[in-house]
Amino acid sequence: MSKFEFNGKCDLAFAVLSDLHMTHRGEGLQKLHQHFALYAKAVPALDAHVLSGDIVYQHDLSGGGSYDKVESSPYEYLRIVREKYAKDVPLIYAIGNHEFPQHNWEDDISRRAREMFTSHGYPLRDHQVIKGYHFITVPIQNYHQDVLPEDEIWAEHEIRSALRTSGDLPVFV
């Protein structure tokens, strides 16, 4: 595939990927590869990749049911693909409910899923500024998408701070 150019002038160029649902068995890996390969050819180069949750699917196979394991291989697949195509491009990754084992609300497995996410270098709370644009991620705690009061307080503080300093630029949460 040849390089492609964005139309018009823009201050910031970023790609958004959501709901890939990549399993430890490799489902979704081809689409992840296609996404990063496509945007590696963008002119000008992207300023960021935004993964807005459910990139990983903690389930044995696509479909219904529940799961009782936390798999690391989808995060390894992401690391390998990102290293190949976008190792120097900032990444914003918000944890989604499918980064937790499917239909499993146990506290211990939810804790292990959060630990797996962070052990691969993705903070649960994040506030990055790229070219003056603010990107804020707020964590959920489990498959139910519960948010802790202290995370809400943190998010409110970060959002207010971003709005004060961003001028007329949007703030992405």
Side-chain angles (χ1 to χ4, degrees), residues 93 95 114-115 117-118 122-126 137-141 154:
Y93 187 174
I95 193 169
R114 290 189 307 273
E115 288 172 356
F117 187 82
T118 60
Y122 308 115
L124 292 169
R125 289 180 181 173
D126 194 17
T137 63
V138 183
I140 57 175
Q141 295 300 303
W154 176 85

Side-chain angles (χ1 to χ4, degrees), residues 54-67:
D54 297 349
I55 303 306
V56 167
Y57 190 50
Q58 293 290 0
H59 201 290
D60 195 33
L61 295 171
S62 292
S66 62
Y67 200 52

Side-chain angles (χ1 to χ4, degrees), residues 122-142:
Y122 308 115
L124 292 169
R125 289 180 181 173
D126 194 17
H127 183 168
Q128 294 186 45
V129 181
I130 300 170
K131 293 180 137 183
Y133 291 83
H134 294 255
F135 294 83
I136 301 167
T137 63
V138 183
I140 57 175
Q141 295 300 303
N142 51 37

Side-chain angles (χ1 to χ4, degrees), residues 64-93:
S66 62
Y67 200 52
D68 62 355
K69 294 183 176 94
V70 178
E71 305 284 355
S72 65
S73 51
Y75 291 104
E76 286 300 314
Y77 300 153
L78 176 57
R79 180 191 61 76
I80 291 165
V81 171
R82 184 173 174 225
E83 208 169 87
K84 180 175 182 175
Y85 293 107
K87 69 179 180 178
D88 296 325
V89 179
L91 180 77
I92 296 106
Y93 187 174

